[in-house]
Amino acid sequence: MSRDAVLTAAEMRKLETDAIMSGRVSGAELMACAGERAVAETLSLWPDLQDTISRAVILCGPGNNGGDGYVMAGILAGRGWQVDVFALGAPTRLPPDARANRDLWAAECPVHPLADAADAMASADLIVDALFGIGLARPLDADVVRVLRAVPTSTHRMSVDVPSGYDTDTGTILGDIAFPADLTVTFHSRKPVHSVLESSGCVVRVVDIGL
């Protein structure tokens, strides 16, 4: 399938599953590459973040999008950043690859409850939304909405794959709020939502992760 194609959420999931089942790539490799490329694109767009020791708040969800966030956390911490991770859901319910990356982070640093993110976001240089990605199909729960309402407009904000709150296939907001991303880094190909995001001023970067 051409990387120029615009894929629905179901088509993208099938592409990833087929690639993993074929043995061409593992889920862990895809996740590692996604996190690495997301960091690279973020620092490319905002080189000012590389000039000093910066502080990131990473919001990690209950699926593989959250796993990408844990990878990003490890990379940024390795560059000397101050990184705080706030997570939604129990770690025991994470998919295996996401759980492995969460455990790597948690072995060295705390994972805070998502509900506690508001104060940390107020002083962050970068806020990363790795909550839901392409998988969201219903309005956000009230606890997530409260966190998104606390996201400051005066900092750099990026989303992994799709800003949380958007329907990937229609570009509509599923409730009354979505993460206000300035940058969205998506993988392999565009999805229908990305045209909507660009029309509202969000920068969309499509990166190769080995599919």
Side-chain angles (χ1 to χ4, degrees):
M1 184 177 291
S2 169
R3 287 188 60 211
D4 295 330
V6 177
L7 301 184
T8 65
E11 290 169 337
M12 186 64 197
R13 282 193 291 265
K14 184 177 186 303
L15 183 68
E16 291 176 337
T17 299
D18 289 350
I20 292 169
M21 294 298 292
S22 74
R24 295 196 310 271
V25 67
S26 70
E29 289 169 334
L30 291 176
M31 189 169 289
C33 190
E36 290 167 3
R37 295 303 306 273
V39 169
E41 292 297 328
T42 299
L43 298 181
S44 172
L45 181 65
W46 295 313
D48 58 295
L49 292 176
Q50 304 183 59
D51 295 338
T52 59
I53 294 177
S54 298
R55 181 161 183 260
V57 167
I58 302 184
L59 311 177
C60 290
N64 285 329
N65 196 253
D68 297 340
Y70 289 112
V71 173
M72 293 182 68
I75 293 169
L76 290 172
R79 296 176 66 100
W81 283 49
Q82 300 172 15
V83 182
D84 292 309
V85 173
F86 296 84
L88 176 67
T92 54
R93 299 183 66 180
L94 284 167
D97 295 323
R99 176 66 186 272
N101 282 297
R102 187 262 181 203
D103 289 348
L104 282 173
W105 176 260
E108 301 291 337
C109 305
V111 177
H112 308 284
L114 182 68
D116 296 342
D119 288 344
M121 289 192 298
S123 58
D125 301 298
L126 172 68
I127 300 172
V128 174
D129 161 32
L131 286 169
F132 296 107
I134 66 172
L136 193 68
R138 58 178 175 78
L140 298 170
D141 292 340
D143 54 346
V144 179
V145 170
R146 281 192 291 272
V147 171
L148 296 194
R149 292 198 188 284
V151 173
T153 59
S154 58
T155 193
H156 303 83
R157 297 159 300 188
M158 74 83 61
S159 286
V160 179
D161 222 0
V162 174
S164 296
Y166 279 96
D167 183 290
T168 300
D169 296 344
T170 66
T172 58
I173 295 177
L174 293 165
D176 61 354
I177 192 171
F179 183 84
D182 301 306
L183 167 67
T184 296
V185 178
T186 194
F187 309 120
H188 182 75
S189 66
R190 295 169 62 91
K191 288 76 181 179
V193 66
H194 294 130
S195 294
V196 175
L197 293 173
E198 286 177 327
S199 68
S200 66
C202 180
V203 174
V204 176
R205 298 276 178 89
V206 183
V207 299
D208 179 21
I209 57 170
L211 290 171

